[in-house]
Amino acid sequence: MTEMNAFEQRLAALEARYTELGELLSAPDAYQDLDRIQQLSREQAKLREVVEAARRWREAQGAPPKPREMARAENDPEMVAMAEEEHQSPTRRRRGRVRGTARTPADRGSQ
């Protein structure tokens, strides 16, 4: 078993336990034993941050390559130009939104 495989298996086990805890806590008869509920709730709280981070990590692993990375790997000049443009576009859009939202209606009318 490779090191990464063991890591992924451990994360999967933690996620499975987190899911199991949610099911146990939502069972109709769960609140008959308050001490058990507290114990399960504490365990779930401890796992929450790890499980959420693991899910974000897994999503990032499956994310498509960023435009700049694509441009570096590409040999076709047109594709390189498109990837670079795509890389710059979100920044330009954000700047435009910030400028647009920073103006008041009176500012817009005075142009």
Side-chain angles (χ1 to χ4, degrees):
M1 170 179 349
T2 66
E3 186 175 316
M4 187 53 102
N5 193 15
F7 174 72
E8 290 173 357
Q9 286 181 345
R10 179 69 178 141
L11 287 177
L14 291 172
E15 285 181 292
R17 178 61 181 162
Y18 182 80
T19 300
E20 179 185 14
L21 290 167
E23 291 168 359
L24 290 170
L25 289 167
S26 64
D29 62 342
Y31 287 85
Q32 293 177 3
D33 183 352
L34 293 180
D35 289 333
R36 175 123 171 95
I37 289 297
Q38 288 178 339
Q39 176 189 10
L40 295 173
S41 294
R42 280 192 296 269
E43 184 179 355
Q44 186 184 46
K46 287 179 184 178
L47 290 177
R48 181 174 291 115
E49 189 174 333
V50 173
V51 168
E52 289 173 356
R55 290 175 179 165
R56 287 189 306 270
W57 175 77
R58 199 171 288 115
E59 286 175 19
Q61 295 298 310
K66 294 182 179 172
R68 183 159 281 170
E69 293 169 6
M70 289 171 52
R72 282 191 212 120
E74 186 59 55
N75 293 327
D76 180 1
E78 288 182 32
M79 293 299 290
V80 171
M82 260 188 352
E84 283 298 325
E85 182 179 322
E86 181 66 26
H87 173 72
Q88 293 172 359
S89 293
T91 304
R92 288 183 184 149
R93 284 192 295 266
R94 279 194 302 270
R95 286 182 187 151
R97 277 189 294 232
V98 170
R99 282 190 204 120
T101 57
R103 294 177 7 204
T104 66
D107 294 336
R108 288 187 200 112
S110 65
Q111 292 180 333

